[in-house]
Amino acid sequence: MKDTPEFVSKETWDKVLNYIARSDEETPYLLIDKDVVRDKVSRIGKGIRNSKLFYAVKANPDENVLGYINSLGAGFEIASEGELRILAKFGVEPERIITSNPMKTYKFLQEAVDYGVNMFSYDSIAEVEKMAKYAPGADVYVRIAVPNEGSEWPLSKKFGVEVEEAVGLLKAAKESGLNPIGITFHVGSQCTNVYNWNSALEKAREVYQSAEASGIKLKMVDIGGGYPIKYLKNVAEIETIEEKIDKAVREKFSDDVEIFIEPGRAVIGDAGIFVSTVTGKAVRGDENWLYIDVGVFNGLMESIGGIKYNYVVGSKNDPKLWTIAGPSCDSMDVIDREVELPEPEPGNMILLPSTGAYTISYASEFNGFSIPRTILI
Ligand SMILES: *Cc1c(COP(=O)(O)O)cnc(C)c1O
């Protein structure tokens, strides 16, 4: 494990190996390098004028992670009372919290309003009526549907409306006594197509101008999340993506428009390294199978949707192709296929970089395997 793997800094790798050497923590567990988180929070938004960062809590809602991000002064994007309650423990001011879930449960909406949260997204008339009743006078922003091409985790079809409907919804909000302030979208998570933001911002501009023509002056555009991280491939750097976004923002909107960014994966994803143990191996037909103690149900759920991780072992044997499976007895619990790796032995450690986002937050105790601990280093 001495050699630093691709896309991991030497500083992070040294910290990880040091932690493992000194700790008797049982695997599997997730290490989070605070320095990477701090670097990401300071870089994201720097290249976009008049912008504010709201960390999307669902990417990793671990209490220590949220406490650390809070100490960096970032805002938060939340969708549930569970997420709100963790932030409440740290006394996060309601002005630093937004909710971009366009379909809020009654319970969450009520708790959020009681706490003082005042910024909510929506994309339907039913939600206008709900917010007018439970969050009268709140600042609201409409979610539009935008292209998700090139995103490894597309989401667009679940939420969002087209331009004309969005303008109608902004008017309806105003007529219901709400305060329409802006527009939001999500280009899809792990978005490796930098042009998606441009298409999305062009659509947002249409909504912004039509709204203005109807007497609604908007003051905010929330560009959602989607910034990609490096798993197996190189991706555009934050600065490259933001240069394009900033250019589009300056072309399309007036100078006083505020830009909100809601990164999840890009803040916490490559700060995380899963530490796991090889539990067994077998040859089945012509396939080599490797079983490890973290799998689809206790941390690596995104592998089912096509996210591919890097696996690091200490072995110096000749590489072989492996099917890698998790610890449960379910046939869905296969993480990856045709992974080239030097042959490890049962009991050896196997490390997975770039696993800080959408791992622990998706984990269940299926089949009796505990949810792995998250440890900040
Ligand atoms: C999940 C989510 C995000 C974060 O997306 P990433 O791709 O992880 O950056 C941001 N905004 C909303 C509304 C989300 O649902």
Side-chain angles (χ1 to χ4, degrees):
M1 304 245 180
K2 288 252 157 51
D3 302 337
T4 310
E6 205 176 5
F7 306 138
V8 180
S9 75
K10 177 152 188 335
E11 290 77 19
T12 298
W13 201 242
D14 284 349
K15 275 178 152 183
V16 166
L17 296 187
N18 262 327
Y19 179 86
I20 294 170
R22 282 187 289 108
S23 149
D24 53 8
E25 181 75 25
E26 274 177 44
T27 67
Y29 55 87
L30 176 67
L31 295 178
I32 297 282
D33 184 351
K34 287 194 283 191
D35 294 332
V36 175
V37 176
R38 196 183 55 239
D39 174 62
K40 294 304 193 80
V41 169
S42 74
R43 281 166 63 199
I44 297 172
K46 213 171 176 184
I48 303 176
R49 72 123 160 85
N50 214 3
S51 67
K52 269 193 194 156
L53 184 152
F54 298 86
Y55 169 64
V57 171
K58 76 177 186 297
N60 188 325
D62 176 77
E63 233 178 273
N64 295 325
V65 166
L66 295 185
Y68 184 66
I69 293 174
N70 180 45
S71 76
L72 302 173
F76 296 93
E77 190 277 317
I78 63 167
S80 67
E81 64 275 13
E83 293 180 343
L84 177 63
R85 286 175 196 164
I86 308 173
L87 298 182
K89 279 192 197 173
F90 298 111
V92 176
E93 302 83 351
E95 297 74 33
R96 275 204 285 145
I97 304 174
I98 63 172
T99 175
S100 295
N101 181 350
M103 295 286 169
K104 290 161 284 301
T105 65
Y106 292 92
K107 190 177 172 61
F108 168 54
L109 185 56
Q110 219 146 22
E111 275 201 37
V113 169
D114 289 346
Y115 191 76
V117 175
N118 193 44
M119 274 188 271
F120 302 100
S121 92
Y122 70 110
D123 64 359
S124 65
I125 283 289
E127 199 71 5
V128 171
E129 289 163 8
K130 189 199 286 172
M131 294 189 300
K133 182 163 174 208
Y134 293 94
D139 291 348
V140 298
Y141 46 103
V142 71
R143 175 135 166 194
I144 57 173
V146 300
N148 272 210
E149 273 111 51
S151 294
E152 288 182 27
W153 202 267
L155 351 125
S156 185
K157 288 208 178 104
K158 183 167 176 183
F159 296 128
V161 293
E162 292 304 322
V163 172
E164 209 172 307
E165 198 179 343
V167 178
L169 284 170
L170 289 167
K171 288 186 204 161
K174 192 175 174 192
E175 282 155 18
S176 307
L178 295 162
N179 181 29
I181 60 159
I183 306 158
T184 189
F185 55 77
H186 199 302
V187 295
S189 200
Q190 186 65 8
C191 176
T192 52
N193 176 1
V194 293
Y195 299 102
N196 274 359
W197 282 279
N198 206 48
S199 325
L201 285 165
E202 180 53 27
K203 255 182 149 170
R205 182 192 63 81
E206 288 176 42
V207 175
Y208 179 85
Q209 291 185 345
S210 298
E212 192 163 21
S214 319
I216 299 176
K217 178 86 175 87
L218 300 175
K219 56 178 193 187
M220 177 276 262
V221 175
D222 176 340
I223 64 170
Y227 287 22
I229 62 163
K230 293 161 189 167
Y231 287 97
L232 297 181
K233 282 180 295 207
N234 218 340
V235 296
E237 293 292 341
I238 292 166
E239 289 73 16
T240 310
I241 293 171
E242 292 199 337
E243 205 183 304
K244 292 203 162 52
I245 295 175
D246 188 57
K247 183 162 178 280
V249 164
R250 286 171 193 270
E251 277 167 15
K252 298 177 199 301
F253 302 98
S254 55
D255 286 350
D256 53 350
V257 167
E258 246 191 316
I259 306 298
F260 286 8
I261 317 171
E262 307 171 339
R265 193 184 302 275
V267 169
I268 200 72
D270 41 21
I273 314 270
F274 239 113
V275 181
S276 173
T277 301
V278 174
T279 51
K281 54 183 176 176
V283 179
R284 309 204 188 279
D286 55 5
E287 284 182 11
N288 297 308
W289 285 68
L290 196 66
Y291 298 82
I292 68 177
D293 62 6
V294 62
V296 168
F297 297 99
N298 63 342
L300 305 178
M301 176 72 87
E302 279 204 314
S303 61
I304 293 290
I307 297 287
K308 294 208 173 290
Y309 300 104
N310 188 11
Y311 303 85
V312 185
V313 293
S315 158
K316 296 278 178 222
N317 295 329
D318 287 340
K320 276 187 182 173
L321 289 182
W322 298 93
T323 300
I324 303 185
S328 78
C329 296
D330 195 289
S331 59
M332 274 244 300
D333 195 1
V334 177
I335 310 157
D336 213 335
R337 290 175 189 279
E338 301 194 7
V339 176
E340 198 175 89
L341 271 187
E343 181 158 5
E345 295 305 325
N348 287 171
M349 274 191 177
I350 180 162
L351 270 50
L352 290 77
S354 302
T355 45
Y358 304 109
T359 47
I360 299 298
S361 48
Y362 274 149
S364 78
E365 294 198 347
F366 173 65
N367 219 175
F369 297 96
S370 314
I371 295 176
R373 277 187 66 201
T374 299
I375 300 158
L376 269 57
I377 56 171

